[in-house]
């Protein structure tokens, strides 16, 4: 059998964003889509492959609130196409201890500007509605209903399955080693042979600069090794998705969590708490101090959800200096789109992939991407100030 080597679109990296881009590209050009993945499909060495991720409208800028609305709509299309439920709304609470009151206003202002409803409640009301919580009287909570769970691994698999159904070719164990333009096509030399494509999506996350650096220049990315825990809860019924909402502790350190879902127990993680690593030097071993922090949070605030570990997983956060996305065309390459999710993009994967494909074919996207240029000032600085807080 001859292996096809030339395609209209090649997507490099089949994590959450690349799988989505392959799907949306296949809706346009069917079998003319190639997906190239360095490891096996559905591997756990990147950022996207966990059972669940959090989705919310509650964000600190109107641009993200609107993009999250677009994400819900795009997920709806994917769900319909896949015949599968990928998003489960649970409602959400953002909890602010007094030390975090400083940034409450950003969230409120962003939601107000877009016209998204929310409700502020105090600690007593929080514990009355959800007796699972134990908090001090200073805690204020913002309740926002359009919050829930993305069935991440299932969503990635659905995107890839739908792309293949439309005729796309997905090749695993095909690390792209070099990329360059030859005679109007991009030549991608991989561990599984050389491919050519008219248009390329780069969605390599922790490994972005290996490829972006060859076409343009590297951007400042910080990669950290993070960790999540799933527990066998003491009180399983109280943590069912119908009874317990998704939550974010907006204090420092910031933790977040999800109810029990799809056979997994309640989940907790910390937003930016791990050591700096690279995609190649990270380990898969849970860190004892990190575990102790997550366990302590559960014991202090959600004691009924605490118990023995069901699973502890490590995962990569890859962040721009301002923690904002990159969704853009690569300068000087109007047929190469670059997507980088700044370690909060799984909820947006559907619309993120669609936007990259729209940029590639139409030069502009349905969603407003103006905040996420690859040429914004902080990405051009030699030693940019870094703020990973959102
Ligand atoms: C612990 C944790 C919790 C998170 N929680 C949330 C959350 O609740 N909500 C949310 O929205 N987001 C969350 N995120 C962030 C979100 O998961 C990521 O932003 C998103 O999954 C990134 O997707 P990606 O496709 O860019 O990256 P990845 O999934 O890492 O995919 C990149 C892919 O590119 C491949 N690749 C790299 N180089 C090459 C190459 N040269 N050739 C071929 N393939 C290559 C890699 O193997 C990989 O498969 C979380 C992340 C972590 C780690």
């Amino acid at each position: 059998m001859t292996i096809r080597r030339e395609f209209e679109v090649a997507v490099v990296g089949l994590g959450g964003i690349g799988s989505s881009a392959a799907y949306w590209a296949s809706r346009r050009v069917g079998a003319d889509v190639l997906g190239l993945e360095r490891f096996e499909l559905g591997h756990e060495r990147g950022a996207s492959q966990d059972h669940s991720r959090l989705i919310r409208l509650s964000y600190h800028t109107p641009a993200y609130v609107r993009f999250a609305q677009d994400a819900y709509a795009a997920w709806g299309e994917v769900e319909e196409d896949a015949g599968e439920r990928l998003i489960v709304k649970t409602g959400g609470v953002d909890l602010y201890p007094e030390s975090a009151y400083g940034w409450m206003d950003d969230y409120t202002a962003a939601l107000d500007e877009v016209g998204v409803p929310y409700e502020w409640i105090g600690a007593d009301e929080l514990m009355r509605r959800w007796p699972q919580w134990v908090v001090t009287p200073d805690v204020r909570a913002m309740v926002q209903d359009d919050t829930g769970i993305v069935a991440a691994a299932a969503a990635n698999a659905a995107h890839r399955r739908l792309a293949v159904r439309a005729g796309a070719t997905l090749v695993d164990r095909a690390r792209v080693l070099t990329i360059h333009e030859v005679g109007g096509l991009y030549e991608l030399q991989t561990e599984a042979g050389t491919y050519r494509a008219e248009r390329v999506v780069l969605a390599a996350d922790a490994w972005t600069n290996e490829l972006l650096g060859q076409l343009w220049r590297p951007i400042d990315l910080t990669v950290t090794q993070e960790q999540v825990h799933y527990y066998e809860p003491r009180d399983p019924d109280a943590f069912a998705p119908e009874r317990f909402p998704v939550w974010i502790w907006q204090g420092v350190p910031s933790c977040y969590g999800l109810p029990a879902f799809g056979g997994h127990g309640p989940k907790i993680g910390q937003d930016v708490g791990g050591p700096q690593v690279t995609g190649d030097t990270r380990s898969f071993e849970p860190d004892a101090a990190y575990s102790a922090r997550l366990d302590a949070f559960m014991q202090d605030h959600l004691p009924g959800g605490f118990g023995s570990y069901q699973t502890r997983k490590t995962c990569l956060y890859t962040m721009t200096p301002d923690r904002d996305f990159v969704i853009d065309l690569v300068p000087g390459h109007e047929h190469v789109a670059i997507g980088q999710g700044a370690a909060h993009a799984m909820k947006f994967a559907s619309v993120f992939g669609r936007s990259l494909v729209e940029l590639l074919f139409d030069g502009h996207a349905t969603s407003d991407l103006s905040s996420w240029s690859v040429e914004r000032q902080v990405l051009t600085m030699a030693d940019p100030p870094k703020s990973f807080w959102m």
Side-chain angles (χ1 to χ4, degrees), residues 59 61-68 110 114 348 368 371-372:
Y59 253 98
T61 71
Y64 282 112
V65 178
R66 291 197 180 94
F67 203 46
V114 184
F348 299 98
D368 178 6
S371 307
W372 304 313

Side-chain angles (χ1 to χ4, degrees), residues 78-370:
V78 181
E79 285 181 316
E80 198 174 318
D81 217 359
E84 189 181 354
R85 196 170 173 209
L86 303 170
I87 303 292
V88 176
K89 275 201 189 169
T90 60
V93 281
D94 293 359
L95 300 106
Y96 290 81
E98 192 173 6
S99 56
Y101 286 178
W103 45 88
M104 281 192 311
D105 292 349
D106 293 345
Y107 283 77
T108 308
L111 292 169
D112 285 345
E113 185 172 325
V114 184
V116 172
Y118 56 86
E119 181 191 7
W120 282 108
I121 57 174
D124 287 347
E125 179 60 13
L126 175 81
M127 291 187 283
R128 192 190 65 74
R129 289 189 199 180
W130 296 289
Q132 298 90 331
W133 278 106
V134 178
V135 296
T136 47
D138 59 303
V139 171
R140 299 191 61 201
M142 188 178 73
V143 183
Q144 212 293 314
D145 290 341
D146 298 307
T147 309
I149 300 168
V150 185
N156 302 335
H159 273 138
R160 290 193 296 266
R161 188 175 70 244
L162 293 171
V164 169
R165 192 175 78 187
T169 301
L170 307 185
V171 187
D172 66 353
R173 297 180 178 82
R175 177 181 175 195
V176 176
L177 303 166
T178 63
I179 175 169
H180 53 266
E181 210 180 340
V182 187
L185 291 181
Y186 286 89
E187 190 167 282
L188 300 135
Q189 200 192 9
T190 83
E191 286 171 339
T194 300
Y195 293 87
R196 280 171 294 281
E198 277 174 48
R199 304 165 200 269
V200 178
V201 173
L202 298 180
D205 207 30
W207 297 270
T208 294
N209 282 330
E210 287 180 12
L211 300 167
L212 187 60
Q214 294 181 39
L215 288 175
W216 184 53
R217 63 173 182 236
I219 52 176
D220 193 304
L221 292 174
T222 302
V223 183
T224 61
Q225 180 169 322
E226 305 297 337
Q227 192 170 311
V228 297
H229 293 181
Y230 292 87
Y231 298 96
E232 295 288 355
R234 289 181 187 135
D235 184 0
D237 293 345
F239 287 85
E242 311 79 53
R243 288 184 56 192
F244 183 67
V246 161
W247 58 271
I248 299 181
W249 181 263
Q250 295 279 23
V252 181
S254 174
C255 291
Y256 58 87
L258 287 79
F261 166 68
H264 288 60
K267 175 180 179 180
I268 183 173
Q270 183 186 335
D271 190 44
V272 202
Q276 214 169 308
V277 294
T278 70
D280 302 319
T281 62
R282 58 80 63 89
S283 88
F284 294 86
E285 283 306 308
D287 173 75
Y290 204 128
S291 292
R293 280 198 301 280
L294 297 184
D295 291 349
F297 188 96
M298 291 297 290
Q299 284 168 306
D300 289 348
H301 297 294
L302 293 166
F306 185 65
S308 55
Y309 299 131
Q310 209 174 52
T311 329
R312 285 185 295 168
K313 283 189 174 185
T314 60
C315 183
L316 294 180
Y317 259 31
T318 302
M319 296 170 289
T320 50
D322 52 6
R323 195 83 194 268
D324 281 329
F325 296 156
V326 174
I327 313 178
D328 205 352
L329 295 171
V330 175
H333 296 272
E334 62 182 24
H335 283 169
V336 183
I338 167 84
Q340 205 291 310
H344 58 112
M346 188 60 221
K347 66 180 77 54
F348 299 98
S350 55
V351 68
F352 208 121
R354 187 187 77 191
S355 301
L356 289 166
V357 168
E358 287 174 338
L359 281 179
L360 211 50
F361 281 87
D362 309 330
H364 57 86
T366 311
S367 300
D368 178 6
L369 309 178
S370 53

